Amino acid sequence: MTSQSQGVQQLLQAEKRAKDKLEEAKKRKGKRLKQAKEEATAEIDLYRMQREKEFRLKQSSIMGSQSDLSMKIEEQTVGKIHDLMDNYNKCMEAVMMQLLNMVYDIKPEIHTNYRADA
């Protein structure tokens, strides 16, 4: 009977050791998962920072070229306005004289559709 009792005791001890090893393995697995998650998060953050930096560089280069383009357009617009004002000032006197001559040059005529019924 004692040999059976010793065998049962050995089995219980072996089961306890197995249970302890299983718990230890679960803890290691949990720690490793947590560590892997932290590493992945750090890697994602690093990648995100790199992509944001690239985006900002591209954005600044594009926006910089857009501001240069808008400055060129503004300069061209100012130049065209200046040219138009010069042409206006040069031709204004002649055009006003033509208009006044047309207004002052009155030629009384009877309209072609006028019927004299009298």
Side-chain angles (χ1 to χ4, degrees), residues 20 38 41 48 80 104 113 116:
D20 290 342
E38 290 172 357
T41 303
R48 180 179 293 133
K80 285 183 180 182
Y104 293 149
N113 291 334

Side-chain angles (χ1 to χ4, degrees), residues 100-113:
L100 288 174
N101 286 336
M102 284 183 197
V103 169
Y104 293 149
D105 189 20
I106 300 172
K107 296 178 185 172
E109 297 175 356
I110 297 177
H111 196 272
T112 56
N113 291 334

Side-chain angles (χ1 to χ4, degrees), residues 18-33:
K19 194 177 199 182
D20 290 342
K21 284 185 179 184
L22 197 66
E23 286 295 320
E24 187 179 321
K26 284 182 181 179
K27 285 180 183 177
R28 281 196 312 257
K29 181 181 175 186
K31 284 182 182 179
R32 181 61 190 130
L33 285 173

Side-chain angles (χ1 to χ4, degrees), residues 8-88:
V8 170
Q9 285 297 326
Q10 287 177 349
L11 283 173
L12 288 174
Q13 287 176 354
E15 186 179 340
K16 187 176 186 299
R17 284 192 304 265
K19 194 177 199 182
D20 290 342
K21 284 185 179 184
L22 197 66
E23 286 295 320
E24 187 179 321
K26 284 182 181 179
K27 285 180 183 177
R28 281 196 312 257
K29 181 181 175 186
K31 284 182 182 179
R32 181 61 190 130
L33 285 173
K34 188 175 181 180
Q35 182 183 5
K37 185 176 180 181
E38 290 172 357
E39 289 173 0
T41 303
E43 192 174 324
I44 288 170
D45 289 341
L46 179 64
Y47 179 75
R48 180 179 293 133
M49 286 190 304
Q50 289 173 346
R51 297 300 288 180
E52 285 178 0
K53 183 178 178 182
E54 290 173 13
F55 173 74
R56 279 190 228 105
L57 286 173
K58 286 182 181 181
Q59 186 179 26
S60 65
S61 69
I62 289 171
M63 295 305 272
S65 65
Q66 284 181 349
S67 65
D68 292 343
L69 184 61
S70 65
M71 286 176 53
K72 287 179 184 177
I73 291 172
E74 184 69 28
E75 289 173 4
Q76 288 176 353
T77 304
V78 169
K80 285 183 180 182
I81 290 172
H82 182 71
D83 291 343
L84 288 172
M85 291 301 289
D86 285 346
N87 286 338
Y88 168 78

